mmCIF file with all atom_site columns, all heavy atoms in Angstrom:
data_model
loop_
_atom_site.group_PDB
_atom_site.id
_atom_site.type_symbol
_atom_site.label_atom_id
_atom_site.label_alt_id
_atom_site.label_comp_id
_atom_site.label_asym_id
_atom_site.label_entity_id
_atom_site.label_seq_id
_atom_site.pdbx_PDB_ins_code
_atom_site.Cartn_x
_atom_site.Cartn_y
_atom_site.Cartn_z
_atom_site.occupancy
_atom_site.B_iso_or_equiv
_atom_site.pdbx_formal_charge
_atom_site.auth_seq_id
_atom_site.auth_comp_id
_atom_site.auth_asym_id
_atom_site.auth_atom_id
_atom_site.pdbx_PDB_model_num
ATOM 1   N N   . SER J 1 180 ? 40.769 18.320 20.705 1.00 0.00 ? 180 SER J N   1
ATOM 2   C CA  . SER J 1 180 ? 40.961 17.856 19.350 1.00 0.00 ? 180 SER J CA  1
ATOM 3   C C   . SER J 1 180 ? 42.291 18.366 18.886 1.00 0.00 ? 180 SER J C   1
ATOM 4   O O   . SER J 1 180 ? 42.928 17.860 17.912 1.00 0.00 ? 180 SER J O   1
ATOM 5   C CB  . SER J 1 180 ? 39.851 18.387 18.421 1.00 0.00 ? 180 SER J CB  1
ATOM 6   O OG  . SER J 1 180 ? 39.865 19.810 18.348 1.00 0.00 ? 180 SER J OG  1
ATOM 7   N N   . THR J 1 181 ? 42.848 19.456 19.444 1.00 0.00 ? 181 THR J N   1
ATOM 8   C CA  . THR J 1 181 ? 44.073 20.023 19.004 1.00 0.00 ? 181 THR J CA  1
ATOM 9   C C   . THR J 1 181 ? 45.355 19.301 19.651 1.00 0.00 ? 181 THR J C   1
ATOM 10  O O   . THR J 1 181 ? 46.402 19.525 19.314 1.00 0.00 ? 181 THR J O   1
ATOM 11  C CB  . THR J 1 181 ? 44.237 21.472 19.355 1.00 0.00 ? 181 THR J CB  1
ATOM 12  O OG1 . THR J 1 181 ? 44.101 21.657 20.798 1.00 0.00 ? 181 THR J OG1 1
ATOM 13  C CG2 . THR J 1 181 ? 43.094 22.231 18.736 1.00 0.00 ? 181 THR J CG2 1
ATOM 14  N N   . ILE J 1 182 ? 45.050 18.388 20.560 1.00 0.00 ? 182 ILE J N   1
ATOM 15  C CA  . ILE J 1 182 ? 46.248 17.698 21.234 1.00 0.00 ? 182 ILE J CA  1
ATOM 16  C C   . ILE J 1 182 ? 46.541 16.497 20.384 1.00 0.00 ? 182 ILE J C   1
ATOM 17  O O   . ILE J 1 182 ? 45.742 15.708 19.981 1.00 0.00 ? 182 ILE J O   1
ATOM 18  C CB  . ILE J 1 182 ? 45.773 17.325 22.591 1.00 0.00 ? 182 ILE J CB  1
ATOM 19  C CG1 . ILE J 1 182 ? 45.495 18.505 23.441 1.00 0.00 ? 182 ILE J CG1 1
ATOM 20  C CG2 . ILE J 1 182 ? 46.894 16.460 23.293 1.00 0.00 ? 182 ILE J CG2 1
ATOM 21  C CD1 . ILE J 1 182 ? 45.034 18.294 24.829 1.00 0.00 ? 182 ILE J CD1 1
ATOM 22  N N   . ASP J 1 183 ? 47.868 16.353 20.215 1.00 0.00 ? 183 ASP J N   1
ATOM 23  C CA  . ASP J 1 183 ? 48.384 15.341 19.362 1.00 0.00 ? 183 ASP J CA  1
ATOM 24  C C   . ASP J 1 183 ? 48.027 13.990 19.786 1.00 0.00 ? 183 ASP J C   1
ATOM 25  O O   . ASP J 1 183 ? 47.901 13.730 21.007 1.00 0.00 ? 183 ASP J O   1
ATOM 26  C CB  . ASP J 1 183 ? 49.922 15.467 19.327 1.00 0.00 ? 183 ASP J CB  1
ATOM 27  C CG  . ASP J 1 183 ? 50.574 14.516 18.297 1.00 0.00 ? 183 ASP J CG  1
ATOM 28  O OD1 . ASP J 1 183 ? 50.783 13.337 18.596 1.00 0.00 ? 183 ASP J OD1 1
ATOM 29  O OD2 . ASP J 1 183 ? 50.720 15.007 17.138 1.00 0.00 ? 183 ASP J OD2 1
ATOM 30  N N   . ALA J 1 184 ? 47.739 13.099 18.860 1.00 0.00 ? 184 ALA J N   1
ATOM 31  C CA  . ALA J 1 184 ? 47.169 11.730 19.182 1.00 0.00 ? 184 ALA J CA  1
ATOM 32  C C   . ALA J 1 184 ? 48.212 10.958 20.083 1.00 0.00 ? 184 ALA J C   1
ATOM 33  O O   . ALA J 1 184 ? 47.882 10.063 20.789 1.00 0.00 ? 184 ALA J O   1
ATOM 34  C CB  . ALA J 1 184 ? 46.875 10.979 17.902 1.00 0.00 ? 184 ALA J CB  1
ATOM 35  N N   . ALA J 1 185 ? 49.532 11.349 19.943 1.00 0.00 ? 185 ALA J N   1
ATOM 36  C CA  . ALA J 1 185 ? 50.514 10.599 20.757 1.00 0.00 ? 185 ALA J CA  1
ATOM 37  C C   . ALA J 1 185 ? 50.316 10.846 22.239 1.00 0.00 ? 185 ALA J C   1
ATOM 38  O O   . ALA J 1 185 ? 50.820 10.131 23.042 1.00 0.00 ? 185 ALA J O   1
ATOM 39  C CB  . ALA J 1 185 ? 51.934 11.081 20.250 1.00 0.00 ? 185 ALA J CB  1
ATOM 40  N N   . ASN J 1 186 ? 49.666 11.959 22.613 1.00 0.00 ? 186 ASN J N   1
ATOM 41  C CA  . ASN J 1 186 ? 49.402 12.173 24.078 1.00 0.00 ? 186 ASN J CA  1
ATOM 42  C C   . ASN J 1 186 ? 48.158 11.496 24.510 1.00 0.00 ? 186 ASN J C   1
ATOM 43  O O   . ASN J 1 186 ? 47.798 11.751 25.652 1.00 0.00 ? 186 ASN J O   1
ATOM 44  C CB  . ASN J 1 186 ? 49.288 13.706 24.259 1.00 0.00 ? 186 ASN J CB  1
ATOM 45  C CG  . ASN J 1 186 ? 50.597 14.415 23.947 1.00 0.00 ? 186 ASN J CG  1
ATOM 46  O OD1 . ASN J 1 186 ? 51.699 13.895 24.510 1.00 0.00 ? 186 ASN J OD1 1
ATOM 47  N ND2 . ASN J 1 186 ? 50.620 15.489 23.332 1.00 0.00 ? 186 ASN J ND2 1
ATOM 48  N N   . ARG J 1 187 ? 47.412 10.807 23.718 1.00 0.00 ? 187 ARG J N   1
ATOM 49  C CA  . ARG J 1 187 ? 46.271 10.089 24.068 1.00 0.00 ? 187 ARG J CA  1
ATOM 50  C C   . ARG J 1 187 ? 46.524 8.623  24.420 1.00 0.00 ? 187 ARG J C   1
ATOM 51  O O   . ARG J 1 187 ? 47.356 7.986  23.834 1.00 0.00 ? 187 ARG J O   1
ATOM 52  C CB  . ARG J 1 187 ? 45.138 10.164 23.001 1.00 0.00 ? 187 ARG J CB  1
ATOM 53  C CG  . ARG J 1 187 ? 44.772 11.584 22.706 1.00 0.00 ? 187 ARG J CG  1
ATOM 54  C CD  . ARG J 1 187 ? 43.662 11.620 21.570 1.00 0.00 ? 187 ARG J CD  1
ATOM 55  N NE  . ARG J 1 187 ? 43.307 12.876 21.193 1.00 0.00 ? 187 ARG J NE  1
ATOM 56  C CZ  . ARG J 1 187 ? 42.344 13.600 21.716 1.00 0.00 ? 187 ARG J CZ  1
ATOM 57  N NH1 . ARG J 1 187 ? 41.589 13.050 22.706 1.00 0.00 ? 187 ARG J NH1 1
ATOM 58  N NH2 . ARG J 1 187 ? 41.990 14.811 21.367 1.00 0.00 ? 187 ARG J NH2 1
ATOM 59  N N   . ALA J 1 188 ? 45.776 8.098  25.377 1.00 0.00 ? 188 ALA J N   1
ATOM 60  C CA  . ALA J 1 188 ? 45.993 6.659  25.684 1.00 0.00 ? 188 ALA J CA  1
ATOM 61  C C   . ALA J 1 188 ? 44.808 6.117  26.390 1.00 0.00 ? 188 ALA J C   1
ATOM 62  O O   . ALA J 1 188 ? 44.132 6.868  27.048 1.00 0.00 ? 188 ALA J O   1
ATOM 63  C CB  . ALA J 1 188 ? 47.287 6.500  26.626 1.00 0.00 ? 188 ALA J CB  1
ATOM 64  N N   . MET J 1 189 ? 44.520 4.892  26.128 1.00 0.00 ? 189 MET J N   1
ATOM 65  C CA  . MET J 1 189 ? 43.487 4.158  26.989 1.00 0.00 ? 189 MET J CA  1
ATOM 66  C C   . MET J 1 189 ? 44.211 3.714  28.238 1.00 0.00 ? 189 MET J C   1
ATOM 67  O O   . MET J 1 189 ? 45.131 2.911  28.080 1.00 0.00 ? 189 MET J O   1
ATOM 68  C CB  . MET J 1 189 ? 42.954 3.022  26.113 1.00 0.00 ? 189 MET J CB  1
ATOM 69  C CG  . MET J 1 189 ? 42.096 3.417  24.898 1.00 0.00 ? 189 MET J CG  1
ATOM 70  S SD  . MET J 1 189 ? 40.658 4.396  25.426 1.00 0.00 ? 189 MET J SD  1
ATOM 71  C CE  . MET J 1 189 ? 39.765 3.211  26.385 1.00 0.00 ? 189 MET J CE  1
ATOM 72  N N   . ILE J 1 190 ? 43.846 4.173  29.310 1.00 0.00 ? 190 ILE J N   1
ATOM 73  C CA  . ILE J 1 190 ? 44.496 3.847  30.550 1.00 0.00 ? 190 ILE J CA  1
ATOM 74  C C   . ILE J 1 190 ? 43.525 3.325  31.583 1.00 0.00 ? 190 ILE J C   1
ATOM 75  O O   . ILE J 1 190 ? 42.360 3.768  31.588 1.00 0.00 ? 190 ILE J O   1
ATOM 76  C CB  . ILE J 1 190 ? 45.292 5.064  31.100 1.00 0.00 ? 190 ILE J CB  1
ATOM 77  C CG1 . ILE J 1 190 ? 44.238 6.158  31.331 1.00 0.00 ? 190 ILE J CG1 1
ATOM 78  C CG2 . ILE J 1 190 ? 46.374 5.481  30.156 1.00 0.00 ? 190 ILE J CG2 1
ATOM 79  C CD1 . ILE J 1 190 ? 44.956 7.390  32.157 1.00 0.00 ? 190 ILE J CD1 1
ATOM 80  N N   . PRO J 1 191 ? 43.972 2.476  32.521 1.00 0.00 ? 191 PRO J N   1
ATOM 81  C CA  . PRO J 1 191 ? 43.054 2.136  33.653 1.00 0.00 ? 191 PRO J CA  1
ATOM 82  C C   . PRO J 1 191 ? 42.971 3.247  34.574 1.00 0.00 ? 191 PRO J C   1
ATOM 83  O O   . PRO J 1 191 ? 43.945 3.885  34.904 1.00 0.00 ? 191 PRO J O   1
ATOM 84  C CB  . PRO J 1 191 ? 43.821 0.784  34.229 1.00 0.00 ? 191 PRO J CB  1
ATOM 85  C CG  . PRO J 1 191 ? 45.206 1.046  33.877 1.00 0.00 ? 191 PRO J CG  1
ATOM 86  C CD  . PRO J 1 191 ? 45.279 1.791  32.545 1.00 0.00 ? 191 PRO J CD  1
ATOM 87  N N   . ARG J 1 192 ? 41.772 3.394  35.119 1.00 0.00 ? 192 ARG J N   1
ATOM 88  C CA  . ARG J 1 192 ? 41.562 4.390  36.138 1.00 0.00 ? 192 ARG J CA  1
ATOM 89  C C   . ARG J 1 192 ? 41.475 3.693  37.469 1.00 0.00 ? 192 ARG J C   1
ATOM 90  O O   . ARG J 1 192 ? 41.363 2.453  37.645 1.00 0.00 ? 192 ARG J O   1
ATOM 91  C CB  . ARG J 1 192 ? 40.233 5.147  35.924 1.00 0.00 ? 192 ARG J CB  1
ATOM 92  C CG  . ARG J 1 192 ? 40.126 5.795  34.530 1.00 0.00 ? 192 ARG J CG  1
ATOM 93  C CD  . ARG J 1 192 ? 41.217 6.803  34.246 1.00 0.00 ? 192 ARG J CD  1
ATOM 94  N NE  . ARG J 1 192 ? 41.297 7.791  35.216 1.00 0.00 ? 192 ARG J NE  1
ATOM 95  C CZ  . ARG J 1 192 ? 42.326 8.641  35.385 1.00 0.00 ? 192 ARG J CZ  1
ATOM 96  N NH1 . ARG J 1 192 ? 43.415 8.408  34.660 1.00 0.00 ? 192 ARG J NH1 1
ATOM 97  N NH2 . ARG J 1 192 ? 42.219 9.686  36.302 1.00 0.00 ? 192 ARG J NH2 1
ATOM 98  N N   . ILE J 1 193 ? 41.513 4.517  38.539 1.00 0.00 ? 193 ILE J N   1
ATOM 99  C CA  . ILE J 1 193 ? 41.475 3.993  39.830 1.00 0.00 ? 193 ILE J CA  1
ATOM 100 C C   . ILE J 1 193 ? 40.039 3.352  40.078 1.00 0.00 ? 193 ILE J C   1
ATOM 101 O O   . ILE J 1 193 ? 39.073 3.756  39.516 1.00 0.00 ? 193 ILE J O   1
ATOM 102 C CB  . ILE J 1 193 ? 41.790 5.014  40.933 1.00 0.00 ? 193 ILE J CB  1
ATOM 103 C CG1 . ILE J 1 193 ? 40.863 6.296  40.732 1.00 0.00 ? 193 ILE J CG1 1
ATOM 104 C CG2 . ILE J 1 193 ? 43.173 5.497  40.888 1.00 0.00 ? 193 ILE J CG2 1
ATOM 105 C CD1 . ILE J 1 193 ? 41.105 7.288  41.714 1.00 0.00 ? 193 ILE J CD1 1
#
Side-chain angles (χ1 to χ4, degrees):
S180 66
T181 61
I182 297 177
D183 190 271
N186 290 318
R187 298 179 181 269
M189 291 299 295
I190 59 169
R192 304 303 299 166
I193 54 179

